[in-house]
Amino acid sequence: VKLQSTGEVQNISVTEHLINDDKKQELIDHSFLKDIENLNGFETFTIENDSVKWNAAGKDIYYSGTTDRKLPIELNISYRLDGVEKTLDDIIGKSGKVEIRLHYKNLSKVGNLYTPFVAAVATTLDESKVSNVHVTNGKATSNGRTIAIAAVAAPGLYESLGLDELKNSDEVVIS
């Protein structure tokens, strides 16, 4: 999922791997994807309703496509500069303590339990422009020029299990 700076979905790309252990000549996958593209070969396919029929020739199929379906997780991104909430445009190029808060909300629930999802976020920062980078529920690693950030969130997990160790597992804060 590629997002805008506000957390709104820009586009969604899905990659599928059809394992062909039986070396079948034809594989059928049920899919809601559009703009389907074969990623690892020249095998052809046809689409009929919600099925994609691949002329697999005994091979595994890797394909990608896009969707506009609503995600089961919602993301709200907020920005602060020196403790004051701002828009991204307001803080670009400014100096001070920056905080980027990514708050995930699980929209998929069965009974009292949320569907267990893990959301991952990854980004890089130019080390010549930032210092003292910290991240909750993740790690920031420097190579001397770039700071790589990777973090995870598990929205709904605390609410489903009620374990204190999981409190704030629905959020990633980069500061």
Side-chain angles (χ1 to χ4, degrees):
V1 179
K2 289 190 179 181
L3 303 172
Q4 296 175 6
S5 63
T6 60
E8 294 293 316
V9 173
Q10 187 173 347
N11 64 52
I12 301 171
S13 175
V14 178
T15 300
E16 295 284 351
H17 176 194
L18 304 180
I19 299 171
N20 195 357
D21 285 341
D22 295 334
K23 305 295 181 204
K24 293 182 179 179
Q25 294 302 303
E26 182 178 278
L27 294 174
I28 298 175
D29 192 28
H30 297 283
S31 180
F32 52 83
L33 299 178
K34 298 180 275 187
D35 305 319
I36 292 176
E37 178 183 349
N38 187 342
L39 296 176
N40 73 326
F42 300 102
E43 296 78 21
T44 58
F45 62 92
T46 56
I47 300 174
E48 204 170 297
N49 297 323
D50 65 348
S51 293
V52 181
K53 186 189 297 185
W54 287 92
N55 299 315
K59 299 177 185 172
D60 283 8
I61 301 291
Y62 292 85
Y63 73 94
S64 69
T66 61
T67 182
D68 55 10
R69 285 192 171 185
K70 185 166 174 60
L71 294 172
I73 294 175
E74 191 174 87
L75 175 61
N76 181 7
I77 302 175
S78 63
Y79 303 89
R80 290 183 173 269
L81 178 62
D82 295 326
V84 178
E85 190 154 338
K86 303 274 188 178
T87 67
L88 179 60
D89 289 336
D90 289 339
I91 66 172
I92 290 177
K94 304 286 187 323
S95 294
K97 182 178 181 183
V98 173
E99 181 182 277
I100 305 167
R101 185 174 299 269
L102 297 96
H103 184 81
Y104 296 87
K105 181 179 179 185
N106 193 329
L107 304 175
S108 178
K109 191 174 185 181
V110 178
N112 292 328
L113 296 175
Y114 285 93
T115 304
F117 291 114
V118 173
V121 61
T123 191
T124 58
L125 300 172
D126 182 344
E127 195 161 3
S128 70
K129 296 180 180 169
V130 298
S131 61
N132 300 321
V133 176
H134 301 279
V135 61
T136 63
N137 297 325
K139 183 143 178 79
T141 304
S142 171
N143 68 5
R145 285 203 252 189
T146 303
I147 298 173
I149 296 173
V152 295
L157 193 59
Y158 172 73
E159 293 80 0
S160 290
L161 301 178
L163 299 173
D164 284 339
E165 309 77 72
L166 300 174
K167 203 168 198 163
N168 299 322
S169 63
D170 59 351
E171 189 168 69
V172 171
V173 180
I174 302 167
S175 61

